[in-house]
Amino acid sequence: FTTAGGFEFATVLDANDRPIYAMQDGADLPAHALDDFTGRLGAIVQDARRAEAAQQALHPTPAYQLHNPIQYSTPIWRDGHLYVATATVVGPDFGHARLMHARAPLVITARDLDEDFPAVFASRYMLNGIHLHDGDSRPEVGEAHAPIFDPSGAEIATLDWQPQTPGTRLLHAVGPWMLGLVASLL
């Protein structure tokens, strides 16, 4: 693994969901080095395993065909950064390889939603002053907030921005003219 694709973290879990490989920023790590990270991703690991079992129930004998990849993603806050973590069930290559075990390995990757993410999001949706905030930022007045939840339903971050107030801008633009019109009518 390298940082190609923008992944800051990657780990491979065996058929029993034990780590057998870990990588951070393109450097190999001991297999258990990311246990603090992967330990918080139990929900997407379980979802991937359930989907894998369901797919095997539909196709009990290995057919030489590709299936849609099984992937589940979730946001996770770690060390002051928001990541999108994805668990992917490793599938046979182009339908020619067979798995040696009933369950396939899982690859878990994580990509940092760094300063580029809010900038792209702001550009796409024409939002001003957009930034990520750790935890619940709703007490910050004057900003709009979109909460980001982890699989357990806990709010781990918010995406905050300065809401546009077209009515206020319109009032400032036409207010003096309107006052002049009202004054001339009196």
Side-chain angles (χ1 to χ4, degrees), residues 30-158:
H32 290 277
L34 297 175
D35 283 356
D36 70 308
F37 181 69
T38 56
R40 299 183 335 192
L41 302 174
I44 64 171
V45 168
Q46 290 175 4
D47 289 342
R49 290 300 186 195
R50 276 193 289 276
E52 177 188 29
Q55 188 177 68
Q56 288 174 349
L58 289 174
H59 307 284
T61 56
Y64 291 107
Q65 64 184 24
L66 287 175
H67 300 285
N68 290 332
I70 298 171
Q71 292 183 318
Y72 287 87
S73 297
T74 189
I76 187 166
W77 191 267
R78 182 180 192 238
D79 299 330
H81 294 270
L82 183 64
Y83 295 88
V84 172
T86 302
T88 304
V89 175
V90 176
D93 67 333
F94 303 106
H96 299 290
R98 293 178 187 245
L99 294 173
M100 295 176 56
H101 305 285
R103 290 175 20 160
L106 283 178
V107 175
I108 298 176
T109 56
R111 181 180 176 133
D112 186 357
L113 296 180
D114 56 14
E115 63 274 354
D116 291 341
F117 167 72
V120 169
F121 197 84
S123 173
R124 174 172 268 178
Y125 296 105
M126 298 181 290
L127 300 174
N128 297 321
I130 196 164
H131 60 280
L132 287 168
H133 188 280
D134 182 7
D136 183 359
S137 68
R138 285 178 289 183
E140 294 179 1
V141 295
E143 290 189 345
H145 313 283
I148 300 170
F149 300 98
D150 70 6
S152 71
E155 187 172 324
I156 59 171
T158 55

Side-chain angles (χ1 to χ4, degrees), residues 4-42:
F7 300 118
E8 282 73 25
F9 301 97
T11 188
V12 178
L13 305 180
D14 68 9
N16 296 311
D17 297 335
R18 292 183 304 242
I20 56 174
Y21 173 79
M23 178 277 297
Q24 180 174 350
D25 297 324
D28 293 342
L29 300 172
H32 290 277
L34 297 175
D35 283 356
D36 70 308
F37 181 69
T38 56
R40 299 183 335 192
L41 302 174

